[in-house]
Amino acid sequence: MEQHPNREDDTKTRLLMAAGEVFAERGYRSATVREICRRADANIGAINYHFRDKKGLYRKVLEYSLRLAIKKYPPDMNLKKGTGPEEKLRAFIRSFLLRMMADGLPAWHGKLMAQEIANPTSLIKQVIKRSIRPLNDYLEKTVCELMEKEGIHKKPGDYEPFVCAMSIIGQCIHYFKGRPMIQALCPEGFDDSDIDMLTDHITNFSIGGIRAVTGKKRSPKIS
Amino acid sequence: MEQHPNREDDTKTRLLMAAGEVFAERGYRSATVREICRRADANIGAINYHFRDKKGLYRKVLEYSLRLAIKKYPPDMNLKKGTGPEEKLRAFIRSFLLRMMADGLPAWHGKLMAQEIANPTSLIKQVIKRSIRPLNDYLEKTVCELMEKEGIHKKPGDYEPFVCAMSIIGQCIHYFKGRPMIQALCPEGFDDSDIDMLTDHITNFSIGGIRAVTGKKRSPKIS
DNA sequence: GATCATTTGCAACACAAGTTTAAATCGGGT
DNA sequence: ACCCGATTTAAACTTGTGTTGCAAATGATC
């Protein structure tokens, strides 16, 4: 039935792939080992043999997905050095959206993270430390660069860059998790091909937001 | 253990109250009838007797919560007529955050909606129609007023006000559903008392965002 | 080709959660 | 005091899900 978990691969790999798919689209709790095994065309027992239990499988999926993600989406987003912060922000948002919305092999990295954020499991700590924190640091750094252009000097970890980063992430995640509601609210529009328009909107909106946040603080410093 | 479902009330009311609490904090799927009954100090069978089944109970909770919400948070947010759109937006964001974050009796209206958005049930259509849509309309209208001040004429339902509204809602919901992650990312800060700071930030950020979005479109119309 | 570790398939088990049922209890009305 | 309907209770039933054990099959090594 499924394509990606190629029958050529060994059972362990097929399980890993199928599990990645299912965990990504259903989340840890709602995913069932039986569906994973069905998609992997493997036996229920195999999961116990190769990964001990469901959580062991999930742990391996996270590790594998993380390793792939680092390769495919390095923190600097493969942008040439010296690109302006606006373009860095746009690239960040676009890749963040793509990672969550896209289908296919590298799709589940973002979805897994989004699921963890919305419904944390006991592995949330690890996910944050190794996946979310680096992304967030990069985003905060970019935000700081944008603030710098407004004449405000902030460093990652300060209050303003942090909440701005949260506002940006929040928008992106909302467009993923809130898709059913958005479809219902606005039935005519928003197929998956609109990621570019979405990227434009969130980028513009956020740049304006950052500008406004720094603007509030600037007044005492200008004069 | 619990306070609100007062032992004085009849079983049906106690069940309704307890269910509101549990559904609000756990979501429909993760909530269990057994916990609801335990909190309501009622028998398992009572749910079947009074509400047919879990979904029937949930439906009644939504109806009751909606009726209360309309009374407590009317669409115009009880602002005096003639208030500026900035203040309307701030009031909207603040009440939206409060409804999700607060504890106590009227707390679960917002939480239920947020849970529905993040994990829709089969009743999502009804929730959207009667709760979310009106709120969204009001928000879009406010956004349009803000755009008007920038010299751009848009009406609710147009693309720009819609995506701006989504960006605002997205930020608010992220601060509710993403609380565990935010705590982990920024352990020092963010107790529940920071709603005022959050309101300030999201309001400023969003006003700047709206300004930026209209700014992009304004250039051809100005000249 | 025999032996051993690895892998698979199947069935059973445990457990949690929603639902149902039948008996017990209670409260008014006559 | 008795009866009848409404309510409450306790227990069983059903289903879905994770886990485990075991026998059979497979494959590699000597």
Side-chain angles (χ1 to χ4, degrees), chain B residues 11 34 42-43 45-46 49-50:
Chain B
T11 309
R34 283 179 167 82
N43 188 275
Y49 179 76
H50 289 288

Side-chain angles (χ1 to χ4, degrees), chain A residues 11 34 42-43 45-46 49-50:
Chain A
T11 307
R34 284 180 166 83
N43 191 275
Y49 179 76
H50 289 288

Side-chain angles (χ1 to χ4, degrees), chain B residues 8-21:
Chain B
E8 309 304 294
D9 302 333
D10 59 349
T11 309
K12 194 170 177 180
T13 308
R14 284 190 343 258
L15 274 176
L16 208 61
M17 296 299 165
E21 281 183 14

Side-chain angles (χ1 to χ4, degrees), chain B residues 36-183:
Chain B
I36 291 172
C37 290
R38 189 162 43 73
R39 286 205 204 180
D41 195 13
N43 188 275
I44 304 269
I47 274 184
N48 171 263
Y49 179 76
H50 289 288
F51 302 96
R52 218 176 84 92
D53 57 10
K54 185 185 179 184
K55 181 166 289 179
L57 173 58
Y58 185 59
R59 192 190 308 272
K60 289 298 182 191
V61 167
L62 283 182
E63 284 172 12
Y64 174 74
S65 136
L66 170 64
R67 221 175 316 129
L68 255 191
I70 288 181
K71 204 171 273 180
K72 205 158 177 62
Y73 306 96
D76 62 353
M77 301 291 153
N78 281 334
L79 276 181
K80 334 166 232 335
K81 200 146 180 77
T83 320
E86 288 88 354
E87 278 315 305
K88 281 170 73 178
L89 182 62
R90 168 182 309 274
F92 179 92
I93 290 172
R94 185 176 154 78
S95 78
F96 199 94
L97 288 175
L98 276 174
R99 259 179 291 176
M100 284 189 304
M101 312 266 212
D103 310 295
L105 176 52
W108 17 288
H109 308 130
K111 299 189 188 182
L112 288 172
M113 282 171 40
Q115 297 279 11
E116 271 295 333
I117 291 175
N119 277 91
T121 72
S122 61
L123 296 178
I124 179 69
K125 283 275 173 63
Q126 174 194 339
V127 175
I128 287 176
K129 190 171 165 191
R130 305 190 52 192
S131 292
I132 299 180
R133 170 94 65 187
L135 275 180
N136 187 66
D137 287 351
Y138 178 81
L139 178 55
E140 280 193 40
K141 199 145 59 70
T142 307
V143 170
C144 286
E145 291 171 23
L146 277 165
M147 290 179 162
E148 201 76 51
K149 288 186 68 170
E150 300 295 313
I152 303 297
H153 184 66
K154 291 287 175 190
K155 59 183 193 307
D158 288 347
Y159 176 76
E160 291 85 358
F162 178 72
V163 287
C164 284
M166 285 301 101
S167 286
I168 295 168
I169 301 286
Q171 293 176 69
C172 295
I173 289 184
H174 185 56
Y175 278 103
F176 169 57
K177 285 295 286 186
R179 208 118 60 109
M181 190 206 57
I182 291 174
Q183 295 278 343

